[in-house]
Amino acid sequence: MLTRCKSLLLLALLYHSIVFTPAVAQSVRKEPSGDVFVDKKGVLRWQWGKQEVALFGVNYTTPFAHAYRAHQRLGVDHEQAIRQDVYHLSRLGIDAFRVHVWDVEITDTIGNLQENEHLKLLDFLVNELKQRGIKIILTPIAYWNNGYPEQDSGTGFSSIYSKTQAYTNPRAIAAQERYLTQFLNHRNPYTKQLNREDPDIIAYEVCNEPRYGRSEAPITAFADRMAAAIRATGCRKPVFYNVSENPDVYEAVLNAKVDGLTYQWYPQGLVSGHTLQGNFLPYVDQYPIPYRQDPRFTTRAKMVYEFESADIIQPIMYPFMARSFREAGFQWATQFAYDPLAMAATNTEYQTHYLNLAYTPAKAISLLIAGQVFRAVKRGQSFGRYPQDSVFGNFRVSYRQQLSELNSPEEFYYTASTTTAPKQPAKLQRLAGVGSSSVVNYGGTGAYFLDKLAPGVWRLEVMPDAVPIRDPFEKASPSKPVTQILWNEQPLRVSLNDLGPGFSIKGLNAGNTAQAQATEARTTVRPGVYLLAAAGKSTAAFTGQSAYRHIRLGEFVVPAPTALGPQVRHTPPAQAVAGQPLRIAATLTGLAPGDSVFLVAQHYYGRTRTLPMSTTTYATVAATVPAELLYPGELRYWLVLRKGGQSLTFPGGFGGEPRDWDYAHAEHFAVPIVAAGTPLPLFRAHLDQERIEARGISPTAWTDYVTMPSGTLALRLVQGPPRNGQSPAPGPAATLRAYFGDRLASRQSDMAGFTAVVVRARSSQPGAQAKVTLMTRDAVAYSASLPLSTDLQDIRIPLSAFQPDALLLVPRPYPSFLPLQYESGSRVPLKLAEAEVLQVMWEATAVAGSPTSVDIESVFLQ
């Protein structure tokens, strides 16, 4: 007994030395522990203390499928990769993790659990998450094979049964019951706990996105049977079931014996193939569930198993989504999916998703802010509708500034440079950001974190520079990096009262021996972790092993510099106006002290000028082409980087310069030079296929491209006859959406002269109902009717005809029960200078026999 007491005392002292060092005595997060339950009002609560649950996080898939294989090909140790990624999740304040387990990789065809590498890595991941205080909900059945985006190679029961067979085929049902029983009774070798007993696995979702027919009774019976299989193991955790994937048969799930309901949100669809541009905040302004008053709904807990602002890199969507989730009553939300660090450079896991702290720093900081939104906003709390709700509580979201902010007395987080002042600078405990503020002025593009360890002592973590060099949402390839990582020494100014202007800087992560003294609060830093201490402050109590909020002070995880050399990303303006200077800016990486950059500008078959380019911010260069080169015709130009006697010319990155006699490369940038008053293209079918969104909305509509009699290309919107007894749904059938804000920017001087929108189009039948909409940066829509005939013609619509209207939310939000329109309420007349998005919408009509169509060749401002 005495020995046991000594052992317990020793453990207690060890725990105190690890957890309650000075670094954490004031910053230990109070986290509920133990199991959860669903009360009679459908509220998920902690068993201990009965507080409401509010957990926010991500999905993450390294143990399985493409992520697993990609790490293998890269020669990266899976466990080390998981350990590093979970560190980053902890840095982002994540406290929730969910994944649909690829059952196809850990079962045989009759549902027996296979003890293999995939299961071992899932166990390892669970253990790592637990150590960081991250709670877990697992979805044991994915129904996916494991190929995407490659070939399938899974051999479990999901490789032989489809989703539609899974709930009707007796053998498939038996396999799932067997698998659930064995999975729940599996003992994790790292935690030594059974899955069904682990207090940090707080609930189970039965299956991922099932697919059902119209008959409801088999659906309810299947859900009941799977929930019973889980409970038969002795598991007393809440059982959740998906209801949003099959909204037509939601009654069947509401009738099932489950504790919670699960939903997803892809507010502007998936897989556009390019970055979506424009103001999408109205798309995430609310999440109204049609049957939200149904007692079968209100008495169940609500979980968002997946969400994402797909094909959008803007760092403003997540905080709005988190707020809308809380208004709708959700208590759990997990983004899909966080990109593993080792493969994030190429974004091959899921082309339409892109999120990683190192590679998408601003979007990652917006996730950090969103988590705080989710925990701060009360369940059911509303702040009105956009744009009135852009400022709520301690949060602010701005589309125009591409800025999400959290500004509370203790925390200050931001996704872009901001002029906002911290509310109470003297009380600040934690800062995180991208760009600069009144507290931190930083010259790099990566994220940074400042955490107060004690009065006058702060931990600074600086990520390397991340520079986008390609559209991350194009078709992906392991050989095509989309973001370049660069390690640079960047200027830093930290203005914190308790640090003062002469603070010391000391490297803390492994291998970081930096030591310096700030002058007037200014210094320079490379990526790393540092202790900042006010003059005279001792930092002896803080070592790399000291604990702080689920991390050790010396932990630092970043990718190596991308071995690409200098890279340029630039899209030429759509037009330049004759007789007016033209400013040209581009992203250029790899600039070192002593390098110089020039713009070689040439009027086609005319004069050529070599112009020095200046660096405005890190990796951005710009120059102004003088008016003397801008007479009607075409301006061709190149960017030349001179490095130590060597020259590289872009596009292409070729050695030499365009004015060299032996420079033989034809690649160049070009912009047409037009006279003032020339029409401005908003959409041209033969050129703009890769930058627009064209979708069918009604079940029998689709889009295509066709050749016109003149040989030009046109976008075709098509409506077919009803299938299987369908009746045509009223409303929009198919749409074109085109962002033109960048094109309008080059014609600002002509703005007052534009008087009409001209649409070159035709319809296959007379009397087709269509309209044209212009949307502003504040998401106010203005529409005018588009009278179509069977002849291809230019249809002129005066700008004065555009009146305030509801905005059509396309690409269409998913799930399909979400609103398809947003009404801003504004009645202010259209200001063309504020417009940036074009929509052409074709109304649904009754179709019998052959499909009907509308062809759109072009849309111009005139």
Side-chain angles (χ1 to χ4, degrees):
M1 183 68 178
L2 184 60
T3 302
R4 182 172 179 271
C5 289
K6 287 182 178 178
S7 298
L8 290 173
L9 179 60
L10 188 61
L11 283 171
L13 290 172
L14 179 62
Y15 176 81
H16 183 84
S17 68
I18 293 173
V19 178
F20 291 101
T21 61
V24 296
Q26 60 178 334
S27 59
V28 174
R29 286 194 288 189
K30 295 180 180 179
E31 295 165 341
S33 60
D35 289 333
V36 300
F37 69 99
V38 180
D39 70 15
K40 293 180 180 180
K41 295 183 178 180
V43 180
L44 193 65
R45 297 184 181 277
W46 298 105
Q47 290 280 7
W48 183 82
K50 306 300 185 288
Q51 301 104 322
E52 289 191 18
V53 173
L55 297 170
F56 187 87
V58 297
N59 288 249
Y60 168 79
T61 66
T62 289
F64 303 106
H66 173 71
Y68 174 85
R69 297 188 299 270
H71 283 80
Q72 273 189 321
R73 285 192 290 265
L74 292 167
V76 175
D77 178 81
H78 290 88
E79 290 188 358
Q80 178 66 5
I82 289 170
R83 192 177 291 114
Q84 292 178 339
D85 287 325
V86 173
Y87 167 71
H88 278 173
L89 298 183
S90 184
R91 280 274 66 191
L92 292 173
I94 294 304
D95 55 14
F97 166 82
R98 180 263 181 189
V99 72
H100 54 250
V101 177
W102 269 262
D103 54 275
V104 76
E105 291 190 319
I106 61 170
T107 66
D108 62 18
T109 56
I110 62 172
N112 288 310
L113 189 66
Q114 305 296 294
E115 299 283 344
N116 60 21
E117 182 69 9
H118 300 290
L119 184 60
K120 178 186 175 185
L121 287 173
L122 176 62
D123 290 336
F124 180 82
L125 172 58
V126 166
N127 189 53
E128 288 295 309
L129 293 165
K130 286 167 63 70
Q131 292 182 43
R132 303 286 186 178
I134 298 172
K135 305 304 179 185
I136 301 159
I137 292 180
L138 294 178
T139 305
I141 303 172
Y143 291 137
W144 304 120
N145 212 310
N146 66 345
Y148 181 87
E150 306 161 88
Q151 296 298 311
D152 291 334
S153 60
T155 57
F157 61 82
S158 288
S159 70
I160 62 172
Y161 299 113
S162 69
K163 283 189 179 186
T164 52
Q165 293 171 321
Y167 78 105
T168 56
N169 185 302
R171 292 182 179 179
I173 294 171
Q176 291 170 87
E177 286 180 316
R178 184 176 296 111
Y179 163 59
L180 287 173
T181 299
Q182 295 181 20
F183 185 83
L184 271 289
N185 283 316
H186 168 69
R187 188 175 298 278
N188 185 320
Y190 299 96
T191 67
K192 312 302 182 187
Q193 294 172 315
L194 300 179
N195 281 344
R196 62 179 170 85
E197 295 176 342
D198 190 328
D200 293 308
I201 303 177
I202 65 170
Y204 286 92
E205 181 195 25
V206 171
C207 54
N208 183 76
E209 299 182 353
R211 183 174 298 138
Y212 298 131
R214 291 283 186 176
S215 179
E216 295 187 359
I219 301 169
T220 304
F222 176 77
D224 287 347
R225 191 164 169 178
M226 294 301 104
I230 290 174
R231 293 179 180 126
T233 65
C235 179
R236 295 295 175 261
K237 300 176 186 298
V239 177
F240 284 79
Y241 204 88
N242 184 297
V243 65
S244 60
E245 184 71 7
N246 301 268
D248 292 343
V249 291
Y250 74 90
E251 297 260 10
V253 179
L254 294 187
N255 287 329
K257 297 180 178 68
V258 294
D259 305 295
L261 305 169
T262 72
Y263 295 79
Q264 79 276 64
W265 201 7
Y266 295 110
Q268 64 289 325
L270 293 164
V271 197
S272 290
H274 59 267
T275 297
L276 296 176
Q277 298 188 78
N279 187 347
F280 285 92
L281 290 177
Y283 290 61
V284 292
D285 192 45
Q286 58 178 327
Y287 193 99
I289 298 170
Y291 44 84
R292 55 189 175 274
Q293 302 301 324
D294 191 311
R296 295 168 298 174
F297 171 81
T298 57
T299 55
R300 303 288 182 47
K302 293 89 181 172
M303 160 188 169
V304 177
Y305 66 96
E306 289 181 12
F307 72 88
E308 174 63 302
S309 55
D311 302 314
I312 291 177
I313 205 69
Q314 300 176 33
I316 58 174
M317 300 289 281
Y318 291 153
F320 251 49
M321 296 178 83
R323 192 212 64 226
S324 297
F325 286 145
R326 292 299 282 158
E327 181 183 1
F330 291 106
Q331 295 182 260
W332 172 285
T334 37
Q335 180 269 353
F336 190 93
Y338 187 83
D339 285 82
L341 181 70
M343 51 191 292
T346 56
N347 193 30
T348 60
E349 187 180 30
Y350 293 99
Q351 167 192 338
T352 196
H353 306 268
Y354 198 31
L355 174 67
N356 178 274
L357 175 56
Y359 287 89
T360 65
K363 194 173 180 181
I365 296 299
S366 79
L367 189 81
L368 168 63
I369 295 169
Q372 298 292 73
V373 170
F374 197 81
R375 298 174 199 105
V377 173
K378 296 178 181 178
R379 184 174 47 85
Q381 187 175 5
S382 176
F383 294 90
R385 299 273 69 89
Y386 182 78
Q388 287 77 23
D389 56 354
S390 296
V391 178
F392 54 100
N394 291 322
F395 306 96
R396 181 168 77 95
V397 176
S398 169
Y399 167 71
R400 287 175 178 258
Q401 296 175 276
Q402 287 298 293
L403 176 65
S404 294
E405 274 182 355
L406 163 58
N407 188 5
S408 72
E410 292 190 342
E411 295 173 305
F412 188 36
Y413 305 146
Y414 44 89
T415 62
S417 292
T418 178
T419 57
T420 300
K423 284 185 176 179
Q424 297 187 44
K427 291 186 177 181
L428 280 174
Q429 301 293 314
R430 291 173 294 281
L431 297 95
V434 175
S436 295
S437 67
S438 61
V439 182
V440 178
N441 191 288
Y442 180 58
T445 62
Y448 52 83
F449 300 83
L450 269 165
D451 297 280
K452 188 171 184 176
L453 307 180
V457 182
W458 292 72
R459 178 187 188 266
L460 168 68
E461 181 172 359
V462 180
M463 303 293 288
D465 295 314
V467 182
I469 56 175
R470 289 186 182 89
D471 188 332
F473 305 116
E474 295 174 350
K475 186 175 181 180
S477 168
S479 62
K480 189 176 79 172
V482 298
T483 304
Q484 188 175 10
I485 295 293
L486 301 109
W487 285 52
N488 297 296
E489 190 165 286
Q490 296 285 11
L492 173 74
R493 176 177 57 81
V494 179
S495 302
L496 289 164
N497 291 339
D498 67 335
L499 274 180
F503 59 85
S504 63
I505 309 106
K506 176 183 173 184
L508 197 57
N509 57 293
N512 186 354
T513 60
Q515 293 197 51
Q517 199 80 22
T519 302
E520 296 182 349
R522 298 178 185 275
T523 185
T524 59
V525 291
R526 286 177 57 80
V529 176
Y530 302 86
L531 277 178
L532 308 186
K537 282 283 183 180
S538 171
T539 60
F542 305 100
T543 71
Q545 296 305 309
S546 300
Y548 174 82
R549 295 171 64 85
H550 295 302
I551 69 169
R552 295 185 306 278
L553 294 185
E555 285 189 272
F556 186 58
V557 174
V558 288
T562 313
L564 286 176
Q567 298 289 307
V568 164
R569 187 180 186 187
H570 172 68
T571 300
Q575 293 177 342
V577 180
Q580 296 185 12
L582 175 65
R583 184 170 176 80
I584 292 175
T587 296
L588 171 60
T589 67
L591 274 173
D595 295 346
S596 53
V597 187
F598 296 88
L599 179 75
V600 178
Q602 177 189 70
H603 192 283
Y604 199 78
Y605 292 134
R607 287 169 285 182
T608 302
R609 291 279 301 274
T610 300
L611 307 164
M613 302 191 81
S614 59
T615 301
T616 54
T617 58
Y618 175 71
T620 300
V621 294
T624 300
V625 181
E628 65 188 66
L629 260 63
L630 292 159
Y631 50 93
E634 182 179 84
L635 182 74
R636 302 196 302 175
Y637 59 95
W638 301 258
L639 274 66
V640 177
L641 170 61
R642 295 178 184 168
K643 258 183 178 302
Q646 302 291 320
S647 295
L648 287 176
T649 293
F650 298 89
F654 301 114
E657 301 191 17
R659 303 186 80 171
D660 294 344
W661 74 269
D662 59 348
Y663 188 84
H665 303 286
E667 290 85 347
H668 62 275
F669 299 112
V671 54
I673 308 167
V674 300
T678 300
L680 174 69
L682 305 184
F683 166 70
R684 295 163 295 179
H686 68 294
L687 293 176
D688 295 334
Q689 299 101 315
E690 303 304 320
R691 57 174 282 149
I692 60 100
E693 298 81 53
R695 306 280 177 93
I697 296 178
S698 70
T700 60
W702 66 94
T703 61
D704 200 353
Y705 283 92
V706 295
T707 305
M708 306 301 283
S710 63
T712 59
L713 205 63
L715 171 68
R716 173 162 287 182
L717 312 180
V718 188
Q719 292 187 61
R723 296 187 296 265
N724 303 322
Q726 291 174 324
S727 57
T735 64
L736 157 69
R737 179 187 184 275
Y739 176 81
F740 63 85
D742 52 345
R743 294 179 172 180
L744 206 59
S746 65
R747 297 291 300 275
Q748 289 296 309
S749 60
D750 278 355
M751 207 61 61
F754 290 121
T755 59
V757 172
V758 178
V759 182
R760 187 164 180 79
R762 70 179 182 185
S763 65
S764 63
Q765 291 186 350
Q769 298 295 310
K771 69 178 179 181
V772 179
T773 300
L774 300 176
M775 187 192 87
T776 70
R777 284 179 282 184
D778 294 324
V780 181
Y782 299 83
S783 297
S785 62
L786 176 63
L788 293 165
S789 76
T790 55
D791 295 324
L792 181 66
Q793 58 182 328
D794 290 337
I795 305 158
R796 187 177 187 277
I797 308 172
L799 288 177
S800 58
F802 285 82
Q803 298 300 314
D805 193 12
L807 173 67
L808 186 64
L809 303 182
V810 289
R812 182 173 190 145
Y814 191 80
S816 57
F817 60 69
L818 291 169
L820 194 54
Q821 291 186 328
Y822 159 74
E823 189 83 53
S824 74
S826 173
R827 292 294 178 264
V828 177
L830 170 65
K831 293 181 180 179
L832 183 60
E834 294 291 307
E836 62 176 14
V837 171
L838 163 78
Q839 289 182 358
V840 179
M841 187 272 287
W842 182 29
E843 291 282 355
T845 186
V847 179
S850 299
T852 62
S853 61
V854 167
D855 298 329
I856 307 169
E857 186 178 297
S858 63
V859 183
F860 278 79
L861 270 178
Q862 192 177 69

